């Protein structure tokens, strides 16, 4: 399990170095307790620091609210936004979904 966690950290760090240059903000919404938000919470716990290290000037907002559906929004230049639901995804699937969104 430790090897898998280390490998995922490396993959996540590499993926976040290659974000779309027009990305202006990343927002994650989730519930503090809901099982549907577990993967999103784990992603923040395990990978937030790597993301901020790779992009220290990129605003990354994490909002927790009771009963909130886990969703990630990416805001790009000229106000264009894209979103993806993270409901019932594993931490690996959350990382993949965010990577696809910001590529």
């Amino acid at each position: 399990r430790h090897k898998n966690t280390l490998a995922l950290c490396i993959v996540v760090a590499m993926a976040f170095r290659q974000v779309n240059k027009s990305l202006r903000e990343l927002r994650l919404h989730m519930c503090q307790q809901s099982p549907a938000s577990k993967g999103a919470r784990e992603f923040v716990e395990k990978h937030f620091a790597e993301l901020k290290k790779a992009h220290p000037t990129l605003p990354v907002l994490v909002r927790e609210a009771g009963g909130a559906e886990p969703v990630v929004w990416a805001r790009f230049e000229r106000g264009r936004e894209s979103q993806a639901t993270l409901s019932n995804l594993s931490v690996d699937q959350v990382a993949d979904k965010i990577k696809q969104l910001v590529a």
Side-chain angles (χ1 to χ4, degrees):
R1 176 140 172 95
H2 177 69
K3 280 186 176 181
N4 290 345
T5 302
L6 180 59
L8 178 62
C9 289
I10 292 169
V11 167
V12 168
M14 294 299 290
F16 287 127
R17 286 192 185 115
Q18 302 169 0
V19 301
N20 187 317
K21 299 234 185 270
S22 68
L23 181 65
R24 296 294 176 251
E25 180 183 83
L26 193 63
R27 294 187 315 271
L28 292 119
H29 290 205
M30 66 196 76
C31 177
Q32 304 98 316
Q33 299 173 345
S34 142
S37 292
K38 183 179 182 204
R41 287 191 308 271
E42 287 181 3
F43 176 84
V44 171
E45 290 169 9
K46 294 179 181 180
H47 302 298
F48 183 83
E50 295 165 42
L51 176 60
K52 286 305 291 179
K53 185 176 180 181
H55 300 283
T57 61
L58 177 68
V60 180
L61 309 170
V62 178
R63 297 266 186 336
E64 293 181 319
E69 178 184 2
V71 178
V72 60
W73 279 274
R75 187 175 54 82
F76 299 91
E77 288 179 339
R78 300 181 181 158
R80 185 177 66 84
E81 288 194 351
S82 295
Q83 73 176 50
T85 184
L86 306 175
S87 191
N88 296 311
L89 299 182
S90 70
V91 65
D92 298 358
Q93 292 169 318
V94 169
D96 287 343
K97 194 68 95 159
I98 293 173
K99 184 174 74 171
Q100 291 168 5
L101 193 63
V102 301

